[in-house]
Amino acid sequence: MRFVVAGDCVEAVFLAEAMAVSDQHQLLTASVTDEVALAMSGRGISYTLVNSPEEAVLDPACEAVLVAASDVDQSMALVRQASQAGRHVIVIPPKNVSTAFSFELHLLLDESERGIVPLCGRWYVDWPDGNVSLKTDVQQLSLSFPLVSDNRDHAQLAGVDALCGCGWAFSQVTALDVRGADGQLLSRSIMLAASEASERNVPPATLSFSADAGVDSAAVVVRPANGENRRYVTALPTPETVSNAKLQAGVLSRIVARLSDETACQAGMEAFSNTLELMEGVEKSLRRRRTVDVYFDGVSERSAFKTQMTAIGCGVLSYLMFGLIAFLIVAKVANLPSWALQVGRILWITPLVLFLLAQLLLPLARERTGQKEASNPNSPTGGE
């Protein structure tokens, strides 16, 4: 497969190096910042530098685009352009990413004939056969990152997503900060678990940030009920500093296989949305200092339409009520000609007519019931 890279995120170097040394894939062009270009040159990655991301995306030889923009709006614009141009898309989650971002990605995936894959933490773990769930009697999973991180929020997202890649469905989040007397953060722990109402016995998973955690300890540790702990190699928390040919080639081959599988792409997008909901739960847990339950409702286009129409409807009703009062006062006080009163009535009733006509668009809005069943996070394939 022939790739291009666009953006300013240094994390793109991890996959770009795998593309450059692969016999089956090729890196054609890139539109990157000086920092990313310097990192790619330091790895000996050869490519053609172009002036703009649009030029890279519209390269006629391109089959897939690695979008590595740190800005949410720019990232979404590039994903949309690449998808509409008939390219596969691999997107690195930008800064300040939210569930709204994954919702937009899911809509683009529904409309596209090509695959879209969010490149997050689960891809950087060397899981055997994709996940470990349902195969071993596991008591706990853990992952440790150094406390000093240039971008702790991004590392936090990658770590939570890596633990979610084990294949179990977590629905509870407990986050705790430990601070010194001066208010400085000493450690942070994030525990993922399932609620008591869960139908499956899900072992807890812990992501910890501590000062004594070295970069080489950033491996997922699986503690079985019997036997020795197993460590699964990761490229976390900073994939851009990792140069592991075997791991990089494995990640690239798995992503390429995912891009051509529509059902797996839908399942992976749903799993990414669930991770982002867990991240919102982390923020709530830190603020409230207690365990937070996270419910994966999966906002569909139809439910979003209904929510927006409800809000607009409240505004229309308020407008009709106050507009009627204003019209009656003006008609009583001012001596207006009949045509002016007729125009006023038309202006008063028009928003209500337009709102009622807009309700006819509801059958066009799509549900995701079938896709959600295919992307059940409890299934092993939904873990990656």
Side-chain angles (χ1 to χ4, degrees):
M1 188 173 287
R2 296 183 293 274
F3 293 87
V4 301
V5 179
D8 59 348
C9 184
V10 188
E11 189 177 333
V13 177
F14 179 88
L15 269 190
E17 186 175 20
M19 299 170 190
V21 301
S22 174
D23 296 330
Q24 302 170 338
H25 310 291
Q26 182 183 2
L27 176 60
L28 300 175
T29 60
S31 174
V32 293
T33 59
D34 293 340
E35 181 184 7
V36 180
L38 184 62
M40 293 174 70
S41 299
R43 300 279 187 96
I45 302 173
S46 59
Y47 62 95
T48 301
L49 185 65
V50 294
N51 295 324
S52 66
E54 291 75 17
E55 187 177 348
V57 170
L58 298 178
D59 186 332
C62 167
E63 294 177 283
V65 181
L66 173 57
V67 176
S70 59
D71 178 75
V72 173
D73 294 333
Q74 183 185 9
S75 178
M76 181 54 63
L78 287 175
V79 173
R80 184 177 294 108
Q81 184 179 20
S83 179
Q84 292 174 349
R87 313 287 194 255
H88 294 294
V89 181
I90 307 167
V91 55
I92 296 174
K95 296 178 180 178
N96 303 321
V97 69
S98 66
T99 50
F101 181 81
S102 66
F103 178 68
E104 292 292 334
L105 284 183
H106 218 149
L107 290 180
L108 288 175
L109 179 61
D110 290 343
E111 297 169 356
S112 176
E113 296 180 356
R114 303 291 182 176
I116 301 177
V117 172
L119 179 62
C120 205
R122 69 188 64 212
W123 289 101
Y124 295 116
V125 184
D126 190 18
W127 292 117
D129 301 326
N131 59 69
V132 297
S133 68
L134 309 178
K135 298 180 180 179
T136 54
D137 184 13
V138 177
Q139 287 188 326
Q140 187 178 12
L141 295 91
S142 62
L143 179 60
S144 299
F145 286 164
L147 182 63
V148 285
S149 175
D150 295 335
N151 192 350
R152 188 178 299 115
D153 290 340
H154 192 72
Q156 193 167 270
L157 170 62
V160 169
D161 192 66
L163 292 173
C164 290
C166 64
W168 283 291
F170 302 107
S171 57
Q172 283 188 338
V173 179
T174 306
L176 177 65
D177 281 349
V178 177
R179 299 184 179 274
D182 56 354
Q184 185 176 1
L185 183 64
L186 300 179
S187 66
R188 170 176 293 180
S189 62
I190 300 170
M191 178 175 287
L192 309 177
S195 63
E196 295 179 357
S198 175
E199 297 179 357
R200 279 185 176 174
N201 183 21
V202 177
T206 304
L207 171 64
S208 60
F209 290 84
S210 59
D212 56 349
V215 177
D216 57 346
S217 67
V220 178
V221 179
V222 178
R223 295 182 175 87
N226 300 306
E228 298 181 356
N229 295 342
R230 290 188 291 276
R231 297 171 63 89
Y232 297 98
V233 178
T234 79
L236 300 172
T238 51
E240 61 270 16
T241 63
V242 174
S243 185
N244 183 327
K246 181 181 178 181
L247 179 59
Q248 289 167 286
V251 171
L252 181 59
S253 64
R254 284 187 284 126
I255 289 179
V256 170
R258 170 67 60 84
L259 287 171
S260 58
D261 189 336
E262 181 180 355
T263 303
C265 277
Q266 291 285 351
M269 195 67 72
E270 192 70 32
F272 178 61
S273 298
N274 291 349
T275 295
L276 294 180
E277 291 195 35
L278 286 172
M279 290 304 301
E280 291 182 355
V282 169
E283 299 303 321
K284 291 179 183 178
S285 181
L286 287 172
R287 289 197 307 268
R288 302 174 184 178
R289 299 181 180 180
R290 63 176 178 82
T291 299
V292 172
D293 287 304
V294 181
Y295 302 99
F296 304 114
D297 293 330
V299 179
S300 67
E301 190 174 294
R302 183 181 293 265
S303 60
F305 179 85
K306 290 180 178 178
T307 302
Q308 293 171 352
M309 285 296 104
T310 301
I312 295 173
C314 293
V316 170
L317 288 176
S318 300
Y319 168 80
L320 288 175
M321 181 177 65
F322 292 108
L324 178 60
I325 295 173
F327 174 78
L328 293 176
I329 292 175
V330 171
K332 186 71 174 176
V333 174
N335 187 18
L336 298 176
S338 60
W339 66 265
L341 295 176
Q342 191 68 19
V343 170
R345 293 188 188 98
I346 294 174
L347 293 177
W348 173 68
I349 202 66
T350 297
L352 177 61
V353 174
L354 294 177
F355 174 76
L356 293 176
L357 290 176
Q359 305 306 308
L360 300 177
L361 298 175
L362 180 60
L364 301 179
R366 293 160 296 184
E367 278 288 7
R368 278 190 212 287
T369 12
Q371 293 168 358
K372 284 181 71 64
E373 290 174 1
S375 59
N376 184 358
N378 286 327
S379 65
T381 55
E384 184 177 315

